[in-house]
């Protein structure tokens, strides 16, 4: 009798470990640089809901908004080391770790939400996903589309580059964005995203740029009055998973993560189209003034293309890569 027990019990236990759905159970952590309510939050919560649904409640994702798990660039480092599962952050904060994604922040390359979608979901997007795995040990599994980054400041209306001179503008630690402001004649101040609200509030910096939805989620209207409707960068915010964490999952879990990421990406696109205009109107109602650059932004566009594009050909994979992106978008090589 004793003998049977000893054999049967381990046998039963090992069968249940292999086959029980409980073996899938896991609680993941997801960092968000922004506050709840913006495009990062929409993508993250949708992804969490889908993963929960697909795994029949076994896979949970807990969201930590507002930079609680570190500033956006730190979250790439932590995910790269396998210390963090997921993060949603602006693509410009991935570029320092995987320079070819800089293609998506080259000024005036993406000119509409449709173009953002077609670049990220086509052949070029697939290549960028592979490159970030190779360079940074993180995998992009979804994209949030956040709208054009508009310029805000607390001092005065800006309609031309002349008006911009003398203002202290915060930028992320991103070479392409810093060079763009330099091309426009100002020396910007690089500052982590998590420090930006306080920097604006204390007057360490006068202005910054981010999409309407982000300005609203971060309550920047409380510390900024003037908006200039520039369209130099369309903000794209990837959902990344640590490649070490991803590779340690069972194939069925990997498939659920990829599917949930894809479906959450579609949701993010719809959310942008449905809510950006509404949010813009609510910012006006809260006291923000919106200005449009004179001459359809021509002086801003000409300087950025002439001075910034050639400087970053090498880091994004060569001039041919930019031409390929433009061709994908139905525009001529430059
Ligand atoms: C930044 O400006 O650093 C980011 O684009 C902010 C964000 O992630 O929303």
């Amino acid at each position: 009798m004793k003998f049977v027990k000893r054999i049967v019990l381990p046998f039963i236990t090992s069968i249940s470990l292999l086959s029980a759905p409980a073996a899938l159970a896991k609680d993941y952590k997801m960092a968000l640089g922004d506050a709840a309510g913006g495009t990062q939050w929409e993508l993250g919560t949708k992804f969490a809901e889908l993963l929960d649904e697909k795994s029949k409640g076994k896979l949970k994702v807990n969201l930590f908004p507002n930079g609680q798990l570190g500033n956006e660039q730190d979250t790439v480092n932590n995910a790269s080391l396998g210390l963090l599962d997921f993060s949603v952050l602006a693509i410009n904060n991935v570029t320092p770790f995987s320079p070819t994604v800089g293609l998506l922040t080259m000024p005036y390359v993406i000119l509409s939400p449709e173009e953002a979608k077609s670049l990220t979901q086509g052949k070029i997007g697939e290549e960028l996903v592979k490159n970030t795995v190779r360079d940074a040990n993180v995998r992009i599994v979804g994209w949030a589309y956040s709208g054009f980054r508009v310029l805000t400041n607390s001092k005065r209306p800006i309609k031309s580059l002349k008006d911009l001179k003398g203002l202290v503008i915060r930028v992320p630690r991103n070479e392409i964005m810093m060079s763009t402001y330099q091309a426009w004649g100002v020396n910007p101040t690089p500052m982590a995203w998590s420090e930006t609200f306080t920097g604006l509030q204390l007057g360490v910096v006068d202005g910054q740029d981010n999409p309407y939805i982000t300005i609203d989620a971060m309550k920047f209207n409380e510390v900024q009055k003037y908006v200039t409707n520039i369209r130099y960068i369309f903000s794209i915010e990837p959902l990344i998973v640590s490649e070490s964490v991803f590779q340690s999952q069972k194939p069925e879990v990997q498939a659920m993560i990829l599917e949930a990421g894809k479906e959450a990406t579609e949701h993010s696109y719809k959310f942008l189209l449905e809510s950006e205009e509404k949010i813009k109107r609510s910012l006006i109602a809260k006291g923000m003034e919106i200005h449009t650059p004179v001459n359809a932004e021509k002086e801003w566009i000409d300087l950025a293309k002439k001075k910034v594009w050639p400087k970053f050909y090498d880091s994004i994979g060569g001039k041919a890569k930019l031409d390929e992106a433009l061709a994908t978008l139905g525009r001529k090589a430059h």
Side-chain angles (χ1 to χ4, degrees), residues 34 40 72 89-90 92-93 149 170 172 193 209-210 214 237:
D34 294 354
Q40 293 187 356
E72 292 195 354
L89 73 167
N92 45 269
N93 287 327
R149 295 178 74 106
R170 172 270 169 182
W193 181 229
D209 66 64
N210 259 292
T214 311
E237 312 206 65

Side-chain angles (χ1 to χ4, degrees), residues 279-290:
I279 285 175
K280 187 171 159 185
R281 281 201 300 273
S282 86
L283 288 172
I284 296 172
K286 287 177 196 161
M288 290 194 105
E289 265 181 32
I290 301 187

Side-chain angles (χ1 to χ4, degrees), residues 47-313:
F47 176 81
E49 183 189 311
L50 288 163
L51 204 56
D52 186 45
E53 225 174 86
K54 288 176 194 296
S55 66
K56 307 216 175 352
K58 297 290 178 295
L59 302 176
K60 303 280 185 202
V61 183
N62 300 309
L63 277 72
F64 295 84
N66 251 328
Q68 287 175 67
L69 300 184
N71 76 50
E72 292 195 354
Q73 296 195 6
D74 289 344
T75 68
V76 182
N77 248 328
N78 291 340
S80 172
L81 295 170
L83 303 173
L84 170 68
D85 306 309
F86 293 97
S87 176
V88 186
L89 73 167
I91 193 74
N92 45 269
N93 287 327
V94 180
T95 317
F97 304 89
S98 187
T100 61
V101 299
L103 178 63
L104 302 175
T105 42
M106 286 288 257
Y108 301 104
V109 168
I110 297 175
L111 301 179
S112 68
E114 296 75 26
E115 291 195 354
K117 200 174 171 186
S118 87
L119 262 198
T120 48
Q121 297 190 21
K123 179 171 160 274
I124 289 190
E126 272 168 34
E127 229 175 81
L128 297 178
V129 170
K130 282 193 197 131
N131 293 352
T132 47
V133 173
R134 179 197 64 202
D135 300 338
N137 200 42
V138 298
R139 176 180 294 266
I140 297 169
V141 294
W143 304 94
Y145 301 104
S146 303
F148 285 104
R149 295 178 74 106
V150 295
L151 177 63
T152 68
N153 87 93
S154 56
K155 296 284 195 228
R156 55 177 180 259
I158 295 172
K159 297 181 190 164
S160 67
L161 291 179
K162 194 161 55 69
D163 302 330
L164 183 64
K165 295 259 156 65
L167 289 187
V168 184
I169 303 293
R170 172 270 169 182
V171 285
R173 292 181 201 286
N174 175 294
E175 297 290 337
I176 298 177
M177 295 167 81
M178 284 192 258
S179 288
T180 308
Y181 277 94
Q182 283 156 1
W184 290 337
V186 291
N187 213 356
T189 303
M191 185 182 278
W193 181 229
S194 51
E195 290 158 22
T196 304
F197 185 91
T198 314
L200 294 166
Q201 189 177 40
L202 299 179
V204 178
V205 287
D206 302 318
Q208 63 85 48
D209 66 64
N210 259 292
Y212 284 111
I213 300 178
T214 311
I215 292 168
D216 183 60
M218 300 301 289
K219 298 192 174 22
F220 279 5
N221 56 290
E222 291 175 3
V223 289
Q224 301 277 272
K225 179 164 179 66
Y226 305 101
V227 180
T228 307
N229 232 342
I230 52 172
R231 298 164 76 81
Y232 84 121
I233 290 176
F234 184 95
S235 176
I236 292 174
E237 312 206 65
L239 162 59
I240 58 170
V241 59
S242 160
E243 183 64 3
S244 317
V245 170
F246 186 75
Q247 290 306 336
S248 68
Q249 308 301 302
K250 291 174 180 294
E252 64 264 37
V253 173
Q254 291 182 345
M256 283 184 233
I257 290 174
L258 295 176
E259 273 170 33
K262 225 171 166 179
E263 291 167 32
T265 298
E266 275 313 302
H267 171 80
S268 166
Y269 190 71
K270 280 200 207 100
F271 174 76
L272 171 71
L273 300 188
E274 282 162 13
S275 49
E276 190 179 39
E277 202 46 46
K278 233 180 346 195
I279 285 175
K280 187 171 159 185
R281 281 201 300 273
S282 86
L283 288 172
I284 296 172
K286 287 177 196 161
M288 290 194 105
E289 265 181 32
I290 301 187
H291 298 274
T292 304
V294 287
N295 266 332
E297 224 173 319
K298 188 173 180 327
E299 55 175 347
W300 311 63
I301 299 172
D302 290 349
L303 279 171
K305 284 189 179 177
K306 194 168 127 223
K307 295 199 172 177
V308 183
W309 282 12
K311 221 168 136 183
F312 292 94
Y313 288 149

